[in-house]
């Protein structure tokens, strides 16, 4: 499973947002190990003021994703880090402390909840990725922070909106 981005500005015409290439805006994590267990993006945390997501990914551990939206509303994604601990069954990964390093990087202290092991604390140092900035190496231009926030809100609310739309159509 992955993250699907939808344009919900017109509830009667909900559709996929697009990438710069005109494809459906869908991000799927890179598979880092094969697993017989069900594996999908799970609990997602957005870093306030940044276009960066930290995700628990069950048997695929922790994934960190940067996203961006250009002026044409086209989405880009870049998986910037991942870690899979032994026998991973990661429920959630939440950055609880973010340290500015003074050189343009940040160190994130991430608490994970693993269904098998309990709590793990990880650290990762990465570049600053402010909200609305283009994803380095993925193309695109910046947009206003408020627009990106609204788009992310749409991303998070989309599954409910899609279900509501299907129910309304069936009821007619």
């Amino acid at each position: 499973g992955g993250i699907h981005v939808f344009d919900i500005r017109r509830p009667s015409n909900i559709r996929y947002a697009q990438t710069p290439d005109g494809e459906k805006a869908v991000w799927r994590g890179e598979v880092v190990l094969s697993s017989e267990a069900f594996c999908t993006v799970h609990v997602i945390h957005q870093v306030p003021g940044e276009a960066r997501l930290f995700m628990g990914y069950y048997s695929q551990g922790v994934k960190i994703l940067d996203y961006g939206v250009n002026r044409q509303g086209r989405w880009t994604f870049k998986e910037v880090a991942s870690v899979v601990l032994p026998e991973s069954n990661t429920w959630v990964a939440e950055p609880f402390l973010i340290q500015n390093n003074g050189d343009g990087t940040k160190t994130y202290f991430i608490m994970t909840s693993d269904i098998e092991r309990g709590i793990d604390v990880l650290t990762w140092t990465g570049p600053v990725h402010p909200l609305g900035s283009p994803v380095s190496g993925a193309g695109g231009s910046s947009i206003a922070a408020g627009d990106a926030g609204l788009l992310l809100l749409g991303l998070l609310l989309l599954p409910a909106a899609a279900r509501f739309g299907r129910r309304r159509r069936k009821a007619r």
Side-chain angles (χ1 to χ4, degrees):
I3 296 174
H4 298 249
V5 182
F6 291 87
D7 182 343
I8 61 170
R9 291 175 287 189
R10 286 183 266 139
S12 63
N13 185 26
I14 295 172
R15 57 191 170 82
Y16 271 94
Q18 295 182 336
T19 67
D21 297 334
E23 301 294 322
K24 291 179 180 178
V26 178
W27 172 81
R28 288 186 181 87
E30 295 178 20
V31 176
V32 293
L33 59 94
S34 61
S35 173
E36 295 176 16
F38 177 71
C39 178
T40 188
V41 62
H42 197 249
V43 179
I44 303 168
H45 287 276
Q46 180 193 9
V47 177
E50 296 185 31
R52 178 165 286 151
L53 303 174
F54 285 74
M55 300 168 278
Y57 219 87
Y58 291 123
S59 62
Q60 301 298 308
V62 174
K63 294 188 179 286
I64 303 170
L65 177 72
D66 285 354
Y67 63 90
V69 185
N70 68 20
R71 289 192 166 122
Q72 291 75 38
R74 304 291 178 106
W75 285 72
T76 58
F77 307 97
K78 183 177 182 184
E79 187 175 316
V80 294
S82 66
V83 62
V84 181
L85 297 173
E87 300 185 34
S88 185
N89 201 351
T90 307
W91 176 257
V92 64
E94 180 176 359
F96 66 92
L97 177 65
I98 302 171
Q99 175 183 311
N100 288 312
N101 297 325
D103 63 355
T105 65
K106 290 184 177 184
T107 299
Y108 300 85
F109 295 83
I110 307 150
M111 187 173 300
T112 72
S113 175
D114 188 281
I115 295 168
E116 302 298 322
R117 275 191 319 281
I119 294 175
D120 297 311
V121 177
L122 311 170
T123 60
W124 175 71
T125 300
V128 175
H129 188 67
L131 190 63
S133 291
V135 177
S136 177
S141 306
S142 65
I143 63 168
D147 291 340
L150 288 173
L151 288 169
L152 182 62
L153 180 62
L155 165 78
L156 298 174
L157 294 176
L158 182 65
R163 275 188 237 116
F164 177 76
R166 279 191 216 127
R167 287 187 191 140
R168 280 184 50 195
R169 284 190 287 277
K170 287 181 182 177
R172 289 182 184 171

